[in-house]
Amino acid sequence: MNPIPILMYHNIAAAPKGVGLRGLYVSPLRFARQMALLRLLGYRGLSMSHAMPYLRGEQEGKIAVITLDDGYRDNLENALPVLQRYGFTATCYVVSGAVGAHNHWDAEQLGLRKALMDAGELREWLTGGMEIGAHSRYHPRLPEVDARTLEDEVAGSRQELEDLLGIAVTQFCYPYGAAGGRERDAVQRAGFQGAVTVRRGRARPGMDLFDLPRVLVGGHHAPHVFPLQILTPHEDRH
Ligand SMILES: [Zn+2]
């Protein structure tokens, strides 16, 4: 069966000058070229929910999963039109306690406040045909919090997003990709169907659905890296 690259993006925008973590930014033009290349190679870009039958091994096909972490407003402005142009779907993982706010968890470290989608913008993302998954309530490192906080961050983020948006939230993304057995159990117990990490690699049907690896698509990569990441074991060796 085909390996399934689960692509991980953060901001789809030009990187502001002087920002150290250029890896977090993919320009709109580059994102559009990457989606065009997926199409050209015969891949369909799918959200996590749409990809579940493939990840479970119930369905076969050439697919790539498109995920965007944190819920930045630039995803709505710059990624949504491109995704729609190619008939692709994608999952945006939202920090439920920071809707309409900014990246409080790393703004200081980055020296940069980045706008997160508010409730109206999240609804636009949904009506545009895209998915919203949960990314905790406050973006802590889950292995470092006590049991009660863990439940609150995991089950609470699902509840908060479902109440706010009136949708079912079935996908989770561990903040910083940090998760051990206790965190995976909590996510499963909260009723999620899948969860992604930041461990490098392409997913394969039959893998643990609560410990899925991803492919970091960084703005700092040379353009030829993207096809290597999708088509070859480039990511799998690490
Ligand atoms: Zn995050």
Side-chain angles (χ1 to χ4, degrees), residues 112-144:
L112 187 64
R113 281 185 171 217
K114 303 187 280 189
L116 296 163
M117 284 188 264
D118 63 23
E121 289 162 338
L122 291 174
R123 285 190 195 98
E124 279 183 61
W125 176 261
L126 291 168
T127 54
M130 305 298 145
E131 178 177 38
I132 284 173
H135 193 32
S136 81
R137 295 188 70 202
Y138 299 109
H139 209 284
R141 288 182 188 276
L142 294 176
E144 293 171 13

Side-chain angles (χ1 to χ4, degrees), residues 20 125 150 158 222:
W125 176 261
L150 176 64
R158 181 178 185 196

Side-chain angles (χ1 to χ4, degrees), residues 5-9 35 38 64-67 214-215 217 226 230:
I6 302 177
L7 307 176
M8 167 174 47
Y9 292 95
M35 296 303 110
L38 284 181
V65 185
I66 302 166
T67 68
R214 286 193 290 176
V215 171
V217 186
F226 182 75
I230 306 293

Side-chain angles (χ1 to χ4, degrees), residues 52-117:
M52 288 310 280
Y54 299 87
L55 290 164
R56 291 194 186 108
E58 298 161 359
Q59 213 168 321
E60 256 192 274
K62 226 171 151 181
I63 67 152
V65 185
I66 302 166
T67 68
L68 301 118
D69 287 13
D70 302 336
Y72 296 107
R73 182 178 292 153
D74 61 39
N75 294 178
L76 180 70
E77 291 164 347
N78 300 328
L80 180 65
V82 176
L83 293 164
Q84 288 177 325
R85 189 186 314 153
Y86 292 101
F88 291 172
T89 55
T91 301
C92 182
Y93 294 110
V94 171
V95 180
S96 66
V99 170
H102 71 276
N103 56 319
H104 62 76
W105 56 92
D106 66 358
E108 205 171 314
Q109 182 204 335
L110 297 179
L112 187 64
R113 281 185 171 217
K114 303 187 280 189
L116 296 163
M117 284 188 264

Side-chain angles (χ1 to χ4, degrees), residues 148-192:
R148 226 173 80 185
T149 308
L150 176 64
E151 291 300 323
D152 184 53
E153 288 286 341
V154 173
S157 65
R158 181 178 185 196
Q159 195 61 54
E160 213 160 30
L161 290 173
E162 291 190 340
D163 290 349
L164 180 70
L165 302 167
I167 53 157
V169 174
T170 61
Q171 298 295 328
F172 191 80
C173 173
Y174 305 103
Y176 311 101
R182 184 186 74 139
E183 289 70 39
R184 290 195 288 273
D185 287 349
V187 169
Q188 208 161 353
R189 208 163 45 237
F192 289 100

Side-chain angles (χ1 to χ4, degrees), residues 6-12 22-26 30-31 34-35 65 67 214-221 225-226 229-230 235:
I6 302 177
L7 307 176
M8 167 174 47
Y9 292 95
H10 290 83
N11 292 97
I12 306 299
R22 273 180 58 225
L24 296 175
Y25 280 84
V26 170
R30 184 180 278 219
F31 183 73
Q34 289 171 342
M35 296 303 110
V65 185
T67 68
R214 286 193 290 176
V215 171
L216 168 74
V217 186
H220 58 306
H221 293 157
V225 173
F226 182 75
Q229 289 180 307
I230 306 293
E235 295 298 296

